[in-house]
Amino acid sequence: MKSDIHPNYHEIKVIMTDGTEFTTRSTWGASGDTMTLDIDPKSHPAWTGGNQRLNDSAGQVARFNKRFAGLGV
């Protein structure tokens, strides 16, 4: 392996949105730094499936459905 081309891989502490903590290895920050998450798999709707709703700005979905109504199977 070539020397001096790889980032420093070290341990950091990660704090989740609910306050739980764990230690992992990362190239982020410096050794011993703490990463505080704003969004994580425990709270974000992409992982939890919460509040699935469609934002219809100015009837765009309605216009699309009207335009392509005849193409249905």
Side-chain angles (χ1 to χ4, degrees), residues 23-60:
T23 303
T24 187
R25 294 182 54 83
S26 174
T27 58
W28 178 86
S31 182
D33 280 356
T34 300
M35 176 187 286
T36 305
L37 300 179
D38 295 329
I39 299 172
D40 65 27
K42 294 180 182 179
S43 64
H44 194 277
W47 287 282
T48 62
N51 294 345
Q52 293 179 349
R53 60 189 163 105
L54 184 60
N55 292 333
D56 186 8
S57 301
Q60 291 177 359

Side-chain angles (χ1 to χ4, degrees), residues 11-33:
E11 286 191 359
I12 63 166
K13 181 169 64 171
V14 178
I15 301 176
M16 307 284 270
T17 56
D18 65 354
T20 57
E21 302 176 357
F22 65 93
T23 303
T24 187
R25 294 182 54 83
S26 174
T27 58
W28 178 86
S31 182
D33 280 356

